[in-house]
Amino acid sequence: MIDVDLTIGLEWGKSGFGQVEVEKAVDVVVRFAALPELADPVVPVSVSIKLSDNDEVHALNREWREKDKPTNVLSFPMLDDDELDALVEGTYEAPEIMLGDVILAFGICEAEAAEKDIPVAHHATHLVIHGMLHLLGYDHIEDDEAEAMEALEVKALASMGLHNPYSD
C-alpha cells in the first residue's frame, strides 16, 4: 500500500471526504487501474495529497502552468518516465519512493459536483484517481492518451461502485 500524507483544508470538513476516502482512492487506482506492482511495494512508496482551496490552486496553476485561473486538481510528479519504467520493472533503486503531490481545490470540486448532481466526496474521489494517474505517467493531451486515461478512471471508479463521470 502507498503511504498517503494528507493535508485537509478547513473547507473540506463538511464534504465527507478525508483520510479514509483518499486512501481508498489511492489504493484503487494502483490495484485496479494503473500499476498493480505498487500494491505491495518492496520499498516504501508515498504520495502527498492536499485538499485545499481555490486560491492556493489558482496560485499554483499560475506559477507552474502559466494558467491564471483555479482548476479542480493539479498533480506534480516526482518521477520521470524512465524512473516510472524502472519502478514497474523492479529495477528502480532507492530506499523509498515519493511519487509526487496532488492538490484539489474545494470550491471548484464542490461546484462541479453540484453540476453533476453527485456528492462532493464522489467527485473528489474521481479527482484523486485522476491526479494519481498523472503521477503514474498517464496524460490526456493526445486523444488516444485521453481515452486510455479515462478508461482507467472509469474502471477504478466502477470498482468502488461510483458512476462513470464521462457518460454524462
Side-chain angles (χ1 to χ4, degrees), residues 8-138:
I8 303 174
L10 291 177
E11 290 179 296
W12 286 90
K14 61 183 175 182
S15 71
F17 191 70
Q19 187 77 36
V20 170
E21 293 77 18
V22 169
E23 287 178 358
K24 284 180 184 176
V26 169
D27 186 50
V28 113
V29 77
V30 168
R31 290 187 185 277
F32 297 104
L35 297 174
E37 299 85 357
L38 291 180
D40 260 335
V42 292
V43 297
V45 178
S46 63
V47 61
S48 174
I49 298 180
K50 186 169 188 180
L51 306 178
S52 190
D53 59 33
N54 288 7
D55 291 341
E56 183 174 12
V57 173
H58 183 167
L60 290 168
N61 204 24
R62 182 176 49 243
E63 179 179 350
W64 293 100
R65 299 180 66 224
E66 298 180 357
K67 296 187 178 191
D68 194 11
K69 62 182 182 178
T71 188
N72 53 14
V73 61
L74 291 172
S75 299
F76 299 95
M78 296 291 287
L79 303 178
D80 63 27
D81 289 343
D82 291 337
E83 291 169 319
L84 283 168
D85 290 343
L87 186 61
V88 171
E89 295 163 3
T91 59
Y92 186 79
E93 294 185 20
E96 60 185 278
I97 298 163
M98 173 56 161
L99 293 175
D101 304 293
V102 175
I103 184 167
L104 279 66
F106 181 78
I108 300 275
C109 183
E110 182 180 50
E112 290 175 348
E115 212 173 89
K116 296 172 183 283
D117 197 28
I118 61 173
V120 171
H122 290 189
H123 189 49
T125 298
H126 174 216
L127 296 177
V128 168
I129 288 169
H130 183 90
M132 282 295 299
L133 286 170
H134 279 304
L135 297 186
L136 297 172
Y138 292 89

Side-chain angles (χ1 to χ4, degrees), residues 139-150:
D139 213 333
H140 47 80
I141 295 171
E142 302 294 329
D143 286 345
D144 60 332
E145 292 174 337
E147 288 175 20
M149 188 170 173
E150 287 174 10

